[in-house]
Amino acid sequence: MIEITGLTRKYGNFYALNDLNLSIKEGVVFGFVGANGAGKSTTFSILATLLQPTKGDALINGKSVRNEPHEVRKQIGYMPDFFGVYDQLKADEYLDFYGASYGIPAKEREKLIPELLELVNLTHKRYEYVDLLSRGMKQRLCLARALIHNPSVLILDEPASGLDPRARVEMRDILKQLKSMGKTILISSHILPELAEMCDEIGVIDGGQLVAHGSVAEIHEQLQNERPVSVHLLGDLTGFVSFIEEQPFVSNVTVDERRSLVKFSYRGSDEEQMALLKTAILKDLPIITFSQAETDLEDVFMEITKGVEMK
Amino acid sequence: MRELLYNPVLIKELKLRFRSVKSSLGLTFYLLAMSIFVFGMIFLATNMTGSGFFRPDESYFMFIVLTYIQLALILFITPGLTAGTISTEREKQTLTILLTTSQRSWQIIIGKLAASIAFLLLMLVSGLPIYSLVFLFGGVSPGQLAVIFLFFLLTVVAIGSLGIMYSTVTKKTIVSMIATYGSMLFLTGVTAFFFVLAIQSGFTSAVQSPSLFAHFWASINPPMMIFSFVSPEGSQFLTQITQVNFPGWIIYVGFYLLIIFVSLLIAIKKLRVNMGKMR
Ligand SMILES: Nc1ncnc2c1ncn2[C@@H]1O[C@H](COP(=O)(O)OP(=O)(O)OP(=O)(O)O)[C@@H](O)[C@H]1O
Ligand SMILES: [Mg+2]
């Protein structure tokens, strides 16, 4: 359970994070999307008690990052966007060190380490030096490290960046497994479709503010308030064009004479769209097909992030 | 209590340190240099007297020289071992992860300090057999040796604490190195210079009055303090010059304990951001 209230972070006069409010329920996989510099890492660093908020607070399982940072650290497993590893340390020693850092007894660590390596598919690298592992392997090892104290909340800053497609799929599988263990997971990415596949909820951040928040379907809907509609007609187009231009919520009417197509943008609700089609048909307008073009998530993303920048 | 005795950072650092080739090379060179010096001296002394004997007063002189060599070594090695402890982790981007673990800030700082000092102690202890060669020929008491060892320990911990403090508050290792070596040179060189200045200004006045400043500067200067330990005349000598009859070692211990306390306090406070405070 994560409760973010009025979280603000300023660098000089620049707001990297501006009054962020967000509540994430237990067991939810939450995707945090935003363009470069939107404030994702800033938010995560504050949650990980690494950065002091200028204003506001965040509660993780009821513990305040401001007032009980030590308690918060026990609750979270954090994976930064950029991180290094110690050289001259082997994979199992690496995990052992962090396990000890969380006060896990040696006996338990001995049992845990093979399990964690198994989870991230690194069993065969157990006795290799960590600094010699590939980037994707280091990333997976870092995820295993974030899990060593069995935290209920995972904060993963772009865990999939730098991974090849296969590793991405594997990462997604690991996250699914973690979700089934009941963990609350926060993931950031600037690739919306990637998150949409594995997240229950998505928050879109831009310019340090949350501009959209909800389930993947809701976000879709919320952002699809202006959708392109295309109508294929038989014969004369003028009747339909004069009809549609008078309707509310309609804009950008374009006519394609050659293919007998009329396209327009529609801003009304689904019910209103249905009524519109019904009226058109009752008026005996020669409609063959009436279709709504899908906007894909990339377009959606481009649209919202553009919107805030122009403010 | 467990936290006090069991320090993951200390264990990991020791593991890394003793695994690296650099450490064993450093140790080898140190011992090699010491042995060459001691055996060379013995060789010279026995040859020159022609008698084939090595007299206690000569071995005593050798003991003094050896002590100074060890002092110089630890003064130069300690900053190198400690000034990078936190800042290299910052540069290698391992610090963020370390700071999100549930280790207390003081555990991390003390672990780092203890690991560096453990290595220096190993150096000092591994040099003991060579030291004891001097014993063999007499002239030095075990008590004196213990005092010098404690003196070294205090000095090392103080300079090490300074190094860790600089390493915590600066972003770059190079800056921290410069600051630590600078502080070390201040304590060993500049204080001696101030001592001389204070003495001279005392001489110009008509009546010779006790020079408190001179006494203070001399008392916090490690090479001068060593002198009062290795030779019985040393401490009287200082009293004669400065006209202050207060044991210098008390000032030394107090001053260096203060350095340790303040440096570690700053390091512990500054290691993590203060989450609570509103700015
Ligand atoms: N130490 C700093 N000093 C000044 N400005 C900073 C600092 N750290 C971050 N910023 C600014 O804060 C803003 C948010 O940065 P943040 O790292 O949170 O972005 P992000 O969403 O994680 O981006 P990315 O997708 O590139 O990782 C950026 O405009 C950045 O320039
Ligand atoms: Mg980022």
Side-chain angles (χ1 to χ4, degrees):
Chain A
M1 175 77 182
I2 302 171
E3 199 83 55
I4 299 173
T5 43
L7 207 61
T8 303
R9 171 72 206 197
K10 273 166 86 172
Y11 288 110
N13 281 328
F14 172 75
Y15 281 89
L17 208 56
N18 194 352
D19 193 27
L20 185 78
N21 293 289
L22 192 59
S23 159
I24 300 164
K25 289 195 189 64
E26 211 171 300
V28 166
V29 180
F30 188 92
F32 217 40
V33 212
N36 291 134
K40 305 180 293 290
S41 299
T42 305
T43 311
F44 283 12
S45 297
I46 293 174
L47 292 180
T49 73
L50 291 168
L51 190 69
Q52 184 192 23
T54 311
K55 256 199 234 114
D57 198 357
L59 300 181
I60 293 179
N61 294 338
K63 311 281 184 208
S64 149
V65 293
R66 259 186 195 282
N67 304 323
E68 304 155 278
H70 185 72
E71 294 305 314
V72 169
R73 284 175 204 128
K74 293 181 189 165
Q75 308 281 333
I76 58 164
Y78 170 64
M79 186 171 157
D81 45 356
F82 297 105
F83 62 90
V85 294
Y86 300 105
D87 27 281
Q88 289 178 320
L89 212 55
K90 290 172 181 160
D92 61 338
E93 292 170 333
Y94 176 84
L95 293 178
D96 190 65
F97 166 62
Y98 288 107
S101 297
Y102 282 105
I104 301 168
K107 275 253 161 51
E108 266 175 62
R109 301 202 299 265
E110 230 166 89
K111 228 180 67 216
L112 263 171
I113 290 167
E115 285 174 19
L116 286 171
L117 286 172
E118 184 65 45
L119 179 74
V120 297
N121 296 322
L122 281 176
T123 308
H124 59 298
K125 295 289 181 186
R126 180 168 178 180
Y127 302 111
E128 306 254 330
Y129 285 108
V130 258
D131 54 322
L132 302 180
L133 296 180
S134 79
R135 167 149 183 213
M137 288 175 183
K138 278 182 200 156
Q139 220 130 348
R140 270 152 40 199
L141 187 66
C142 188
L143 179 63
R145 188 233 10 115
L147 291 166
I148 195 141
H149 55 303
N150 195 18
S152 59
V153 174
L154 282 175
I155 298 173
L156 313 174
D157 202 350
E158 303 197 29
S161 71
L163 296 185
D164 65 27
R166 175 177 295 278
R168 270 166 200 263
V169 173
E170 280 172 9
M171 178 69 80
R172 205 173 301 153
D173 289 344
I174 295 169
L175 291 177
K176 264 188 206 137
Q177 243 172 299
L178 293 174
K179 178 182 157 62
S180 71
M181 290 157 85
K183 298 198 185 295
T184 311
I185 307 177
L186 251 82
I187 316 173
S188 80
S189 172
H190 42 262
I191 307 169
L192 186 55
E194 181 183 283
L195 281 182
E197 277 177 59
M198 49 185 161
C199 293
D200 306 319
E201 274 179 47
I202 287 199
V204 183
I205 184 171
D206 198 42
Q209 285 175 311
L210 199 67
V211 289
H213 172 209
S215 68
V216 177
E218 278 166 1
I219 289 268
H220 231 234
E221 207 172 294
Q222 197 173 335
L223 300 167
Q224 256 185 4
N225 48 10
E226 193 172 87
R227 41 198 187 266
V229 177
S230 93
V231 181
H232 194 184
L233 296 145
L234 191 64
D236 184 27
L237 302 180
T238 46
F240 182 79
V241 171
S242 53
F243 162 76
I244 202 75
E245 278 179 337
E246 281 166 13
Q247 299 301 315
F249 311 120
V250 170
S251 59
N252 298 335
V253 181
T254 56
V255 181
D256 184 344
E257 292 274 359
R258 199 171 50 80
R259 287 156 62 199
S260 314
L261 276 179
V262 176
K263 289 184 183 172
F264 58 93
S265 299
Y266 192 68
R267 226 178 296 107
S269 68
D270 285 353
E271 287 74 22
E272 285 155 341
Q273 188 177 329
M274 188 183 75
L276 173 80
L277 178 58
K278 201 169 172 185
T279 327
I281 288 169
L282 289 176
K283 285 202 166 196
D284 268 344
L285 293 165
I287 296 171
I288 306 174
T289 65
F290 183 99
S291 62
Q292 181 188 325
E294 272 289 319
T295 42
D296 72 6
L297 284 167
E298 288 291 357
D299 296 340
V300 169
F301 180 67
M302 294 301 280
E303 196 171 335
I304 13 179
T305 49
K306 180 186 70 198
V308 172
E309 224 169 280
M310 288 193 308
K311 265 186 212 163
Chain B
M1 196 58 210
R2 246 191 83 245
E3 287 178 344
L4 254 179
L5 297 174
Y6 180 73
N7 192 313
V9 171
L10 171 63
I11 290 173
K12 186 218 65 182
E13 292 280 312
L14 287 180
K15 201 188 273 177
L16 292 191
R17 192 144 269 163
F18 290 111
R19 200 173 268 177
S20 83
V21 187
K22 253 194 320 204
S23 309
S24 42
L25 271 182
L27 206 57
T28 313
F29 276 117
Y30 166 71
L31 291 177
L32 216 62
M34 290 266 290
S35 325
I36 288 174
F37 173 76
V38 170
F39 286 108
M41 285 279 283
I42 292 177
F43 177 75
L44 277 180
T46 47
N47 262 12
M48 282 204 289
T49 51
S51 61
F53 284 112
F54 187 63
R55 290 194 312 275
D57 58 326
E58 277 163 359
S59 95
Y60 192 75
F61 170 72
M62 201 159 81
F63 168 72
I64 294 179
V65 177
L66 263 185
T67 306
Y68 272 101
I69 290 181
Q70 281 212 315
L71 177 69
L73 271 169
I74 60 168
L75 284 180
F76 275 94
I77 293 172
T78 312
L81 281 177
T82 53
T85 42
I86 303 294
S87 50
T88 45
E89 289 229 12
R90 195 176 286 127
E91 282 160 355
K92 282 187 164 177
Q93 299 181 311
T94 48
L95 190 64
T96 45
I97 296 179
L98 187 63
L99 294 185
T100 52
T101 68
S102 63
Q103 281 187 100
R104 299 285 186 179
S105 300
W106 65 262
Q107 276 181 292
I108 297 173
I109 294 289
I110 296 292
K112 291 274 182 189
L113 180 67
S116 311
I117 285 163
F119 183 73
L120 274 157
L121 283 187
L122 177 78
M123 279 187 100
L124 289 180
V125 169
S126 66
L128 272 182
I130 302 173
Y131 239 37
S132 64
L133 259 181
V134 182
F135 268 136
L136 217 62
F137 295 101
V140 182
S141 74
Q144 245 175 332
L145 201 68
V147 166
I148 286 174
F149 189 79
L150 287 177
F151 170 83
F152 278 165
L153 188 65
L154 178 66
T155 312
V156 161
V157 174
I159 293 179
S161 304
L162 276 172
I164 286 182
M165 191 243 323
Y166 288 129
S167 187
T168 311
V169 298
T170 58
K171 281 215 167 66
K172 291 253 157 60
T173 301
I174 184 80
V175 179
S176 161
M177 284 277 176
I178 292 169
T180 314
Y181 275 104
S183 305
M184 186 273 285
L185 288 176
F186 177 85
L187 290 173
T188 53
V190 179
T191 51
F193 178 66
F194 284 166
F195 166 72
V196 173
L197 277 186
I199 289 288
Q200 277 188 339
S201 65
F203 279 147
T204 50
S205 61
V207 238
Q208 217 201 351
S209 56
S211 173
L212 287 173
F213 279 118
H215 191 73
F216 174 74
W217 292 123
S219 298
I220 61 165
N221 183 288
M224 289 174 106
M225 256 306 112
I226 285 249
F227 186 63
S228 73
F229 290 139
V230 292
S231 71
E233 310 91 57
S235 51
Q236 287 149 25
F237 172 72
L238 187 62
T239 310
Q240 273 165 23
I241 292 186
T242 61
Q243 303 282 310
V244 180
N245 198 2
F246 187 77
W249 69 269
I250 294 184
I251 299 177
Y252 192 91
V253 170
F255 185 76
Y256 280 75
L257 282 179
L258 189 72
I259 290 184
I260 295 171
F261 181 74
V262 172
S263 308
L264 291 184
L265 198 71
I266 293 174
I268 291 167
K269 282 264 171 276
K270 294 283 171 188
L271 181 64
R272 286 185 163 115
V273 296
N274 184 352
M275 292 301 288
K277 204 179 69 193
M278 297 262 185
R279 264 204 291 185

